[in-house]
């Protein structure tokens, strides 16, 4: 099992999770984070830190493993992030919204550390 970041992170990008990660396996996109599944040690310390519950075990992924694929793919090209940053300016407006992947996902990388 590994942990993955899911839809709830998109357009929010709270980074409380990255500072507690003992192996620095978070990667930053323009409007969300992902976890590199091959680097994650399954410790779970990041999961309770996420204020929008966007971090889940991969066993809770949808049937076609969409989020595991997204996390794996973008962790290879986005920069590593190890320090907490401010969330996106309008993050609070998107906390309750669902279906954000189709509406807002960006393939562009973030800044990283």
């Amino acid at each position: 099992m590994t942990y993955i970041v899911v839809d709830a992170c998109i357009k929010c990008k709270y980074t409380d999770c990255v500072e507690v990660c003992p192996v620095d396996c978070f990667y930053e996109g323009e409007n969300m984070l992902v976890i590199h599944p091959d680097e994650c040690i399954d410790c779970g310390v990041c999961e309770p830190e996420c204020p929008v519950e966007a971090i889940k075990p991969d066993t809770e992924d949808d049937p076609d493993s969409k989020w595991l694929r997204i996390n794996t793919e973008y962790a290879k090209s986005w920069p590593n992030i190890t320090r907490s940053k401010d969330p996106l300016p309008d993050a609070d407006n998107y906390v309750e919204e669902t279906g954000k992947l189709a509406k807002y996902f960006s393939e562009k990388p973030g800044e990283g550390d």
Side-chain angles (χ1 to χ4, degrees):
M1 181 189 79
T2 187
Y3 285 86
I4 53 175
V5 180
V6 298
D7 197 68
C9 186
I10 298 172
K11 294 288 279 181
C12 292
K13 199 165 78 169
Y14 294 100
T15 58
D16 309 61
C17 52
V18 300
E19 285 197 352
V20 299
C21 180
V23 293
D24 298 335
C25 65
F26 281 89
Y27 292 81
E28 183 182 15
E30 179 180 45
N31 67 1
M32 78 172 291
L33 304 174
V34 294
I35 293 173
H36 195 305
D38 294 336
E39 295 174 2
C40 176
I41 60 171
D42 310 330
C43 67
V45 297
C46 60
E47 188 178 20
E49 297 300 318
C50 181
V52 295
E53 299 180 3
I55 300 172
K56 305 285 183 190
D58 67 346
T59 54
E60 294 182 22
D61 198 0
D62 57 37
D64 68 356
S65 301
K66 165 181 61 191
W67 288 106
L68 180 59
R69 282 197 318 276
I70 288 170
N71 278 253
T72 302
E73 179 180 344
Y74 291 98
K76 292 176 183 176
S77 60
W78 289 350
N80 189 242
I81 179 172
T82 60
R83 292 186 217 125
S84 186
K85 300 179 179 182
D86 290 335
L88 295 176
D90 55 353
D92 291 340
N93 298 332
Y94 294 94
V95 169
E96 300 295 323
E97 190 168 346
T98 59
K100 296 191 280 184
L101 178 64
K103 296 181 208 172
Y104 307 120
F105 177 74
S106 171
E107 296 181 353
K108 294 178 183 176
E111 296 176 8
D113 284 345

